[in-house]
Amino acid sequence: QVQLVESGGGLVQAGGSLRLSCAASQRVFSINDMGWYRQAPGKQRELVATITSGGSTNYADSVKGRFTISRDNAKNTVFLQMNSLKPEDTAVYYCNANIKARWGVREYVYWGQGTQVTVSS
């Protein structure tokens, strides 16, 4: 069973930086779009950023210019570099990926377990 394993969350002061990573737990046939979402207490999960297999990116307006999504296709890993962090960025961050685990099976959406990011003022 393929899993997405996240790392890099933590506590940081406002204005600081964090880098999140998310890697597939095993080799897979292909990975299409990958992305990061977040969910703050009492709020719905929202999109933060996405990246296609070709490297095209999309960002939520609230993080444009501060966050950068990237990926290493050879390592089946997606990253989120977060700079100039604000208290309102505090949330559990989840990665997801559209993965075709083996040749001949359909593509499924997989989610990471979530990693807490807390930004203090």
Side-chain angles (χ1 to χ4, degrees), residues 44-100:
Q44 290 188 332
R45 190 174 297 188
E46 63 176 4
L47 179 145
V48 175
T50 61
I51 185 168
T52 69
S53 57
S56 297
T57 58
N58 179 57
Y59 295 92
D61 287 343
S62 59
V63 306
K64 281 181 181 177
R66 300 188 297 122
F67 290 10
T68 302
I69 189 171
S70 60
R71 63 191 286 171
D72 183 335
N73 290 332
K75 296 183 179 180
N76 292 335
T77 301
V78 62
F79 305 97
L80 186 68
Q81 178 66 44
M82 303 184 294
N83 298 329
S84 302
L85 283 161
K86 305 175 181 179
E88 51 263 43
D89 294 318
T90 295
V92 178
Y93 283 70
Y94 299 90
C95 67
N96 86 339
N98 292 14
I99 297 175
K100 196 171 191 178

